Amino acid sequence: MTTVYLSAGSNIGDRKAHLQEAVDILKTEKNIRHVVVSGLYQTEPVGPVVQDDFLNIAVRLETDLAPTELLTLLHQIELAGKRERVIHWGPRTIDLDIIWFGTDVIDTTELQVPHAEMVNRLFVLAPLLEVVSEQRRQEVEDLIQATTDVKQVERIGEFWG
């Protein structure tokens, strides 16, 4: 089993319900165990598109899926959540990204792990700090200290996922 970290966000409709549906699906997958979810964060969107704020969470899980199999599952969850890829950096019902997949380094056209933009995304790093293992805690703390991201990231409560 491999420890995997995900970032999840939503800024359309019932944002918390979209996140909850994604977590519920992850918890029912036979190849996924020990799903741990961070608190709930409200965050400013990134990019030039004017849109509503996001709700974001981080997820830690164990899986025996290969990275591409997990990516396929995440895309299926996004489709089930009515995710439409119309506008780059645009609004979305659900967005699921693999941040770390164990210690793997993957650089293909469809998957980059560690996630290339996490160092520029406080909305990824702040929730990640809540679920990260002790082995990775200092790494995340260092990334938070080094990031130049100044977007508003506010913990608004427990997720209960």
Side-chain angles (χ1 to χ4, degrees), residues 35-106:
V35 176
V36 178
V37 183
S38 72
L40 193 60
Y41 288 75
Q42 184 157 310
T43 65
E44 287 182 61
V46 171
V49 179
V50 176
Q51 57 189 306
D52 293 335
D53 285 352
F54 277 82
L55 288 184
N56 288 94
I57 57 173
V59 178
R60 182 182 75 220
L61 56 85
E62 302 284 325
T63 187
D64 57 10
L65 293 170
T68 54
E69 293 172 321
L70 180 60
L71 182 63
T72 297
L73 172 62
L74 297 180
H75 287 166
Q76 290 169 347
I77 294 170
E78 289 177 342
L79 283 173
K82 309 271 191 281
R83 162 91 188 253
E84 295 179 357
R85 296 177 187 269
V86 178
I87 302 170
H88 185 62
W89 286 346
R92 57 209 93 151
T93 55
I94 188 72
D95 184 30
L96 299 166
D97 291 313
I98 300 172
I99 303 305
W100 281 312
F101 194 96
T103 58
D104 291 5
V105 175
I106 304 164

